[in-house]
Amino acid sequence: MSGGSLAVVGLGPGPADWLLPEAEVALASATDLVGYVPYVARVPERPGLARHATDNRVEATRARHAFALALEGRRVAVVSGGDPGVFAMAAAVVEALDAEPAFRAVPLRVVPGLSAMMAAAARLGAPLGHDFCAVSLSDNLKPWSVVLRRLTAAAEGDFVLALYNPASKARPTQIGDAFAHLRGLKAGATPVAFARAVGRPDERLHLTTLAEADPALVDMATLVLVGSSETRWVEGQGGRRWMLSPRTYGKGL
Amino acid sequence: MSGGSLAVVGLGPGPADWLLPEAEVALASATDLVGYVPYVARVPERPGLARHATDNRVEATRARHAFALALEGRRVAVVSGGDPGVFAMAAAVVEALDAEPAFRAVPLRVVPGLSAMMAAAARLGAPLGHDFCAVSLSDNLKPWSVVLRRLTAAAEGDFVLALYNPASKARPTQIGDAFAHLRGLKAGATPVAFARAVGRPDERLHLTTLAEADPALVDMATLVLVGSSETRWVEGQGGRRWMLSPRTYGKGL
């Protein structure tokens, strides 16, 4: 190996003005892009840039391939949507490093990105203005019982909840099951927001309540935010509603 | 009012290559900067840019002032470190909007930023690779009993924990109290990281365990990460240790 390196790079939610300058530089200096097809496709083609786009759910194979390319002397960028550390490629890359001592020869760094949670929160006002949890609803890599246990704990702590990966074609019912579970633990009037494809042309916000939340409106591109007991709606310009989790909490305690 | 507007702008953790292009444009078009002294100081001076820098802990007053300036026709940027939605100015601004119907005339938007949590996670590898909670340890605006209740809930859910505002001169003992509380709930060997001033010249990472975690090493500029029961250290290049919360969880369940 000579000069090879591996950077795990966060592309943010999509638009160019949500890509960090550090990520832009890392992409510009890469010889090889490795990642899930739609993320690799976001990076413009240029001479000398090799593209290794793979399907979803092959993260471990992809991470090993990235290290192998770096060991051959390539400057590899593993691209991830949002922030690579949040339910994305950084963990798969560090897992690959853990499994193969030879990969320790590779200089590794993680270039952060804007996570979907922060992008959605910006559009909604301040839903994450107080303590919050992020939970992936996918049970591909953890038992569903763990998801339910964490939703219960988040409700007991009265955290605001950000639900990642709420649904997919293979898992269409879990967001409905999660809402049913949360309805047993939290007030029906709790504010809920569906933030779909934030920052992309098909962006769509849907404001509702836990009692009224319709799972049919949730897809793979949606981030679901569920308020705490103190989260509320605030009226703004032209009747626009903002979602607020106030900085103060439990004044009566 | 004519042409006035209010943008709550996230400056990220500090370095220019962690400032989103959208934030850079918003700052360049502002006529007035409003914010806590060190954040306002980060934005370069230029002709025509008025600066309204105020002390910490006057967030509500600052937010009202920003709306008042916007009502006078100014293009106001309220600047926040990190992401403005995470324990920062977005909530104070939406609270001010809630309290004063006249402020509804002002076009409002939130420009997200890189949160300290994601910056710290990038330096550490993948500590947030699985479900996590963010908790502010400050009891300025919530009772300490709520902090303890949330730490308990986070431990019951076996979430990774990101602790914001772990200490200040006025609150030197709370991080020690939080560690003591967590030691009753989680294994002493749980990986813990102190990520101080990430992205700035005085950045410093300290890797330890819950049993060994020394509160004296934690200050206001530190983000504290506490692992789940499955978080572990992984050795990388030159003996560097990475913090990994694996994507899989509870395989034995």
Side-chain angles (χ1 to χ4, degrees), chain A residues 102-175:
Chain A
F103 294 163
R104 291 182 196 158
V106 174
L108 168 65
R109 72 181 173 125
V110 179
V111 179
L114 185 70
S115 188
M117 180 167 56
M118 277 71 184
R123 290 291 200 256
L124 291 162
L128 304 177
H130 212 273
D131 306 327
F132 60 90
C133 295
V135 176
S136 168
L137 287 195
S138 171
D139 65 350
N140 291 335
L141 298 166
K142 68 184 165 191
W144 182 246
S145 61
V146 170
V147 176
L148 293 181
R149 171 182 161 201
R150 287 189 169 150
L151 295 180
T152 301
E156 280 172 0
D158 198 21
F159 284 99
V160 174
L161 261 169
L163 302 177
Y164 280 77
N165 306 315
S168 73
K169 279 174 189 166
R171 303 179 291 103
T173 61
Q174 293 178 332
I175 183 65

Side-chain angles (χ1 to χ4, degrees), chain B residues 9-14 39 42 80-86 88 111-116:
Chain B
V9 179
L11 300 181
Y39 301 139
R42 275 202 215 158
S80 238
D83 181 87
V86 177
V111 178
L114 186 69
S115 188

